[in-house]
Amino acid sequence: QSALTQPASVSGSPGQSITISCTGTSSDVGGHNYVSWYQQHPGKAPKLMIFDVSNRPSGVSNRFSGSKSGNTASLTISGLQAEDEADYYCSSYTSSSTLEWVFGGGTKLTVL
Amino acid sequence: QLQLQESGPGLVKPSETLSLMCTVSGGSIRSSSYYWGWIRQPPGKGLEWIGSMYYSGSTYYNPSLKSRVTMSVDTSKNQFSLKLSSVSAADTAVYYCVRLVVRGSHMDVWGKGTTVTVSS
């Protein structure tokens, strides 16, 4: 089971847009539409931001959006705000020999 | 609103077994729509999936931990548990219990997490 690949850090100024990538394989990200994204502030539990590649749970700002192309999923945050500064993790389920779940290594978003 | 609460010792000695419980409130663990699972996060590091299970008892474990992990469910108490044997300092982490949606496999509810330190 290999972790999904995310950039270690990204940054942007308030009001700008940023995109975080998440690269996997045809067994996980590329094999289905079950990619999710989580936001984690320091000392807090992760929070679901995007599920099934591009769906937002109730209550999550529409500034957050998700997409996928091939084996790479992406999270885009538009109109950056100070409170968006956090760690972001992608996740996918993988159906190799059995059900497994895998996370990306995480991306630290800094709002300049 | 469904809530999850982890409980268990905060300190475990090397080579012993780590045991954690997750109590589900505000909903039933007996749902065909969800799995129940454990995620951990070592200090300063990323998230790691430990295992997931269905209320009927079917279990799925991270291959890297499979030989040491046991998960079980007590539907009468609306609880599920984690046991991790032969622990070492590398198992020091914040442990989260989660609910996973079967159709989609995303983790939509998280406990607040409990810190477990492995040290003599």
Short mmCIF file of all heavy atoms in Angstrom, two decimals, chain A residues 43-83:
data_model
loop_
_atom_site.label_atom_id
_atom_site.label_comp_id
_atom_site.label_asym_id
_atom_site.label_seq_id
_atom_site.Cartn_x
_atom_site.Cartn_y
_atom_site.Cartn_z
N GLY A 43 -3.82 20.78 15.98
CA GLY A 43 -4.43 20.29 17.20
C GLY A 43 -5.88 19.86 17.05
O GLY A 43 -6.53 19.52 18.05
N LYS A 44 -6.38 19.85 15.83
CA LYS A 44 -7.79 19.49 15.61
C LYS A 44 -7.89 18.22 14.77
O LYS A 44 -6.94 17.83 14.09
CB LYS A 44 -8.52 20.62 14.88
CG LYS A 44 -8.54 21.93 15.63
CD LYS A 44 -9.35 21.82 16.90
CE LYS A 44 -9.50 23.18 17.58
NZ LYS A 44 -10.29 23.08 18.84
N ALA A 45 -9.06 17.59 14.83
CA ALA A 45 -9.31 16.44 13.98
C ALA A 45 -9.53 16.90 12.54
O ALA A 45 -10.01 18.02 12.30
CB ALA A 45 -10.54 15.68 14.47
N PRO A 46 -9.20 16.06 11.59
CA PRO A 46 -9.48 16.40 10.19
C PRO A 46 -10.97 16.59 9.95
O PRO A 46 -11.81 16.03 10.65
CB PRO A 46 -8.95 15.18 9.42
CG PRO A 46 -7.89 14.61 10.32
CD PRO A 46 -8.43 14.81 11.71
N LYS A 47 -11.29 17.39 8.92
CA LYS A 47 -12.67 17.67 8.55
C LYS A 47 -12.85 17.36 7.07
O LYS A 47 -12.03 17.78 6.24
CB LYS A 47 -12.99 19.15 8.80
CG LYS A 47 -14.36 19.59 8.30
CD LYS A 47 -14.52 21.10 8.45
CE LYS A 47 -15.83 21.59 7.85
NZ LYS A 47 -15.95 23.07 7.91
N LEU A 48 -13.90 16.64 6.75
CA LEU A 48 -14.20 16.30 5.35
C LEU A 48 -14.59 17.56 4.58
O LEU A 48 -15.50 18.26 4.97
CB LEU A 48 -15.33 15.28 5.29
CG LEU A 48 -15.81 14.86 3.91
CD1 LEU A 48 -14.72 14.08 3.16
CD2 LEU A 48 -17.09 14.02 4.02
N MET A 49 -13.89 17.80 3.45
CA MET A 49 -14.16 18.97 2.64
C MET A 49 -14.75 18.62 1.27
O MET A 49 -15.57 19.38 0.72
CB MET A 49 -12.87 19.78 2.43
CG MET A 49 -12.19 20.20 3.71
SD MET A 49 -13.23 21.21 4.77
CE MET A 49 -13.18 22.78 3.90
N ILE A 50 -14.28 17.50 0.69
CA ILE A 50 -14.74 17.06 -0.62
C ILE A 50 -14.86 15.54 -0.59
O ILE A 50 -13.98 14.86 -0.04
CB ILE A 50 -13.74 17.45 -1.74
CG1 ILE A 50 -13.65 18.97 -1.89
CG2 ILE A 50 -14.11 16.79 -3.06
CD1 ILE A 50 -14.87 19.63 -2.54
N PHE A 51 -15.91 14.98 -1.16
CA PHE A 51 -16.02 13.53 -1.30
C PHE A 51 -16.44 13.17 -2.71
O PHE A 51 -16.98 14.01 -3.44
CB PHE A 51 -16.98 12.94 -0.25
CG PHE A 51 -18.43 13.35 -0.43
CD1 PHE A 51 -19.31 12.56 -1.14
CD2 PHE A 51 -18.89 14.55 0.10
CE1 PHE A 51 -20.63 12.94 -1.30
CE2 PHE A 51 -20.21 14.94 -0.05
CZ PHE A 51 -21.09 14.13 -0.75
N ASP A 52 -16.19 11.93 -3.08
CA ASP A 52 -16.52 11.46 -4.44
C ASP A 52 -15.98 12.43 -5.49
O ASP A 52 -16.71 12.83 -6.41
CB ASP A 52 -18.02 11.28 -4.59
CG ASP A 52 -18.59 10.18 -3.71
OD1 ASP A 52 -17.78 9.50 -3.05
OD2 ASP A 52 -19.81 10.02 -3.66
N VAL A 53 -14.73 12.79 -5.34
CA VAL A 53 -13.95 13.65 -6.27
C VAL A 53 -14.35 15.12 -6.20
O VAL A 53 -13.48 16.00 -6.09
CB VAL A 53 -14.06 13.16 -7.73
CG1 VAL A 53 -13.36 14.14 -8.69
CG2 VAL A 53 -13.44 11.78 -7.89
N SER A 54 -15.65 15.41 -6.28
CA SER A 54 -16.04 16.81 -6.48
C SER A 54 -17.27 17.25 -5.68
O SER A 54 -17.78 18.35 -5.93
CB SER A 54 -16.31 17.05 -7.97
OG SER A 54 -17.35 16.20 -8.42
N ASN A 55 -17.73 16.45 -4.75
CA ASN A 55 -18.92 16.81 -3.97
C ASN A 55 -18.55 17.44 -2.63
O ASN A 55 -17.62 17.00 -1.96
CB ASN A 55 -19.78 15.56 -3.73
CG ASN A 55 -20.40 15.05 -5.01
OD1 ASN A 55 -21.23 15.71 -5.63
ND2 ASN A 55 -19.99 13.88 -5.44
N ARG A 56 -19.30 18.47 -2.28
CA ARG A 56 -19.07 19.14 -1.00
C ARG A 56 -20.12 18.73 0.01
O ARG A 56 -21.32 18.76 -0.29
CB ARG A 56 -19.16 20.68 -1.16
CG ARG A 56 -17.93 21.35 -1.69
CD ARG A 56 -18.11 22.88 -1.63
NE ARG A 56 -19.37 23.30 -2.21
CZ ARG A 56 -19.56 23.52 -3.50
NH1 ARG A 56 -18.55 23.33 -4.34
NH2 ARG A 56 -20.75 23.90 -3.95
N PRO A 57 -19.69 18.40 1.24
CA PRO A 57 -20.68 18.15 2.30
C PRO A 57 -21.43 19.44 2.62
O PRO A 57 -20.92 20.54 2.37
CB PRO A 57 -19.83 17.72 3.49
CG PRO A 57 -18.50 17.32 2.91
CD PRO A 57 -18.32 18.18 1.70
N SER A 58 -22.59 19.30 3.20
CA SER A 58 -23.35 20.45 3.63
C SER A 58 -22.52 21.29 4.60
O SER A 58 -21.89 20.74 5.52
CB SER A 58 -24.64 19.98 4.32
OG SER A 58 -25.33 21.07 4.87
N GLY A 59 -22.49 22.58 4.38
CA GLY A 59 -21.78 23.47 5.28
C GLY A 59 -20.38 23.85 4.83
O GLY A 59 -19.77 24.77 5.39
N VAL A 60 -19.84 23.15 3.85
CA VAL A 60 -18.52 23.49 3.33
C VAL A 60 -18.66 24.56 2.25
O VAL A 60 -19.50 24.44 1.35
CB VAL A 60 -17.80 22.24 2.77
CG1 VAL A 60 -16.52 22.63 2.04
CG2 VAL A 60 -17.50 21.25 3.89
N SER A 61 -17.82 25.56 2.34
CA SER A 61 -17.89 26.69 1.41
C SER A 61 -17.72 26.26 -0.04
O SER A 61 -16.93 25.35 -0.34
CB SER A 61 -16.79 27.70 1.75
OG SER A 61 -16.68 28.69 0.76
N ASN A 62 -18.44 26.92 -0.94
CA ASN A 62 -18.31 26.62 -2.36
C ASN A 62 -17.01 27.17 -2.94
O ASN A 62 -16.75 27.06 -4.14
CB ASN A 62 -19.51 27.11 -3.15
CG ASN A 62 -19.72 28.62 -3.04
OD1 ASN A 62 -18.85 29.34 -2.52
ND2 ASN A 62 -20.85 29.09 -3.52
N ARG A 63 -16.16 27.75 -2.10
CA ARG A 63 -14.82 28.13 -2.55
C ARG A 63 -13.93 26.90 -2.71
O ARG A 63 -12.86 26.98 -3.32
CB ARG A 63 -14.18 29.09 -1.54
CG ARG A 63 -14.92 30.40 -1.39
CD ARG A 63 -14.16 31.39 -0.48
NE ARG A 63 -13.98 30.89 0.88
CZ ARG A 63 -12.83 30.42 1.35
NH1 ARG A 63 -11.76 30.36 0.57
NH2 ARG A 63 -12.75 30.00 2.59
N PHE A 64 -14.37 25.79 -2.14
CA PHE A 64 -13.62 24.54 -2.24
C PHE A 64 -14.23 23.68 -3.36
O PHE A 64 -15.44 23.43 -3.38
CB PHE A 64 -13.67 23.77 -0.92
CG PHE A 64 -12.91 24.43 0.19
CD1 PHE A 64 -13.48 25.46 0.93
CD2 PHE A 64 -11.62 24.04 0.51
CE1 PHE A 64 -12.78 26.09 1.95
CE2 PHE A 64 -10.90 24.65 1.53
CZ PHE A 64 -11.48 25.68 2.24
N SER A 65 -13.37 23.21 -4.27
CA SER A 65 -13.86 22.36 -5.34
C SER A 65 -12.84 21.29 -5.65
O SER A 65 -11.65 21.43 -5.38
CB SER A 65 -14.16 23.19 -6.60
OG SER A 65 -12.98 23.80 -7.07
N GLY A 66 -13.32 20.17 -6.20
CA GLY A 66 -12.44 19.05 -6.51
C GLY A 66 -12.65 18.57 -7.93
O GLY A 66 -13.71 18.75 -8.53
N SER A 67 -11.59 17.95 -8.46
CA SER A 67 -11.65 17.41 -9.81
C SER A 67 -10.68 16.24 -9.91
O SER A 67 -9.91 15.96 -8.99
CB SER A 67 -11.33 18.47 -10.85
OG SER A 67 -10.00 18.94 -10.67
N LYS A 68 -10.74 15.57 -11.06
CA LYS A 68 -9.82 14.44 -11.27
C LYS A 68 -9.56 14.28 -12.75
O LYS A 68 -10.46 14.45 -13.59
CB LYS A 68 -10.43 13.15 -10.71
CG LYS A 68 -9.45 11.98 -10.64
CD LYS A 68 -10.15 10.69 -10.23
CE LYS A 68 -10.81 10.03 -11.41
NZ LYS A 68 -11.22 8.65 -11.13
N SER A 69 -8.30 13.93 -13.07
CA SER A 69 -7.93 13.59 -14.43
C SER A 69 -6.96 12.43 -14.36
O SER A 69 -5.87 12.56 -13.80
CB SER A 69 -7.28 14.79 -15.14
OG SER A 69 -6.85 14.42 -16.44
N GLY A 70 -7.38 11.31 -14.90
CA GLY A 70 -6.52 10.13 -14.85
C GLY A 70 -6.24 9.70 -13.42
O GLY A 70 -7.15 9.52 -12.63
N ASN A 71 -4.96 9.57 -13.10
CA ASN A 71 -4.55 9.14 -11.75
C ASN A 71 -4.31 10.29 -10.79
O ASN A 71 -3.78 10.09 -9.69
CB ASN A 71 -3.29 8.28 -11.83
CG ASN A 71 -3.51 6.97 -12.57
OD1 ASN A 71 -4.64 6.50 -12.67
ND2 ASN A 71 -2.43 6.41 -13.10
N THR A 72 -4.64 11.51 -11.19
CA THR A 72 -4.40 12.68 -10.36
C THR A 72 -5.69 13.42 -10.03
O THR A 72 -6.45 13.80 -10.92
CB THR A 72 -3.42 13.65 -11.04
OG1 THR A 72 -2.16 13.00 -11.24
CG2 THR A 72 -3.19 14.89 -10.17
N ALA A 73 -5.92 13.59 -8.72
CA ALA A 73 -7.04 14.39 -8.25
C ALA A 73 -6.52 15.74 -7.80
O ALA A 73 -5.34 15.89 -7.47
CB ALA A 73 -7.75 13.69 -7.09
N SER A 74 -7.40 16.73 -7.79
CA SER A 74 -6.99 18.08 -7.40
C SER A 74 -8.04 18.73 -6.52
O SER A 74 -9.24 18.53 -6.71
CB SER A 74 -6.77 18.96 -8.64
OG SER A 74 -5.74 18.43 -9.46
N LEU A 75 -7.55 19.52 -5.57
CA LEU A 75 -8.39 20.35 -4.73
C LEU A 75 -8.05 21.80 -5.04
O LEU A 75 -6.89 22.18 -4.99
CB LEU A 75 -8.13 20.07 -3.25
CG LEU A 75 -8.81 21.02 -2.25
CD1 LEU A 75 -10.31 20.76 -2.23
CD2 LEU A 75 -8.21 20.86 -0.85
N THR A 76 -9.06 22.58 -5.39
CA THR A 76 -8.87 24.00 -5.66
C THR A 76 -9.60 24.82 -4.60
O THR A 76 -10.77 24.53 -4.29
CB THR A 76 -9.37 24.38 -7.05
OG1 THR A 76 -8.60 23.67 -8.03
CG2 THR A 76 -9.23 25.88 -7.30
N ILE A 77 -8.91 25.80 -4.07
CA ILE A 77 -9.52 26.73 -3.12
C ILE A 77 -9.45 28.11 -3.76
O ILE A 77 -8.36 28.59 -4.08
CB ILE A 77 -8.79 26.74 -1.77
CG1 ILE A 77 -8.63 25.33 -1.22
CG2 ILE A 77 -9.55 27.62 -0.76
CD1 ILE A 77 -7.79 25.24 0.06
N SER A 78 -10.59 28.71 -3.98
CA SER A 78 -10.64 30.04 -4.59
C SER A 78 -10.92 31.08 -3.52
O SER A 78 -11.44 30.77 -2.44
CB SER A 78 -11.70 30.08 -5.67
OG SER A 78 -12.97 29.76 -5.12
N GLY A 79 -10.57 32.33 -3.82
CA GLY A 79 -10.80 33.41 -2.86
C GLY A 79 -10.19 33.11 -1.51
O GLY A 79 -10.85 33.20 -0.47
N LEU A 80 -8.90 32.78 -1.51
CA LEU A 80 -8.22 32.36 -0.28
C LEU A 80 -8.51 33.30 0.89
O LEU A 80 -8.50 34.53 0.74
CB LEU A 80 -6.72 32.30 -0.50
CG LEU A 80 -6.10 30.98 -0.98
CD1 LEU A 80 -4.60 31.15 -1.13
CD2 LEU A 80 -6.43 29.83 -0.05
N GLN A 81 -8.73 32.68 2.04
CA GLN A 81 -8.95 33.43 3.26
C GLN A 81 -7.96 32.93 4.32
O GLN A 81 -7.47 31.79 4.24
CB GLN A 81 -10.38 33.26 3.75
CG GLN A 81 -11.42 33.76 2.77
CD GLN A 81 -12.85 33.57 3.26
OE1 GLN A 81 -13.10 33.08 4.35
NE2 GLN A 81 -13.81 34.02 2.44
N ALA A 82 -7.70 33.76 5.29
CA ALA A 82 -6.73 33.42 6.33
C ALA A 82 -7.07 32.10 7.01
O ALA A 82 -6.18 31.31 7.33
CB ALA A 82 -6.64 34.55 7.36
N GLU A 83 -8.37 31.85 7.21
CA GLU A 83 -8.76 30.63 7.93
C GLU A 83 -8.59 29.36 7.10
O GLU A 83 -8.75 28.25 7.60
CB GLU A 83 -10.21 30.72 8.40
CG GLU A 83 -11.23 30.90 7.29
CD GLU A 83 -11.66 32.34 7.14
OE1 GLU A 83 -10.82 33.24 7.35
OE2 GLU A 83 -12.85 32.55 6.81
#
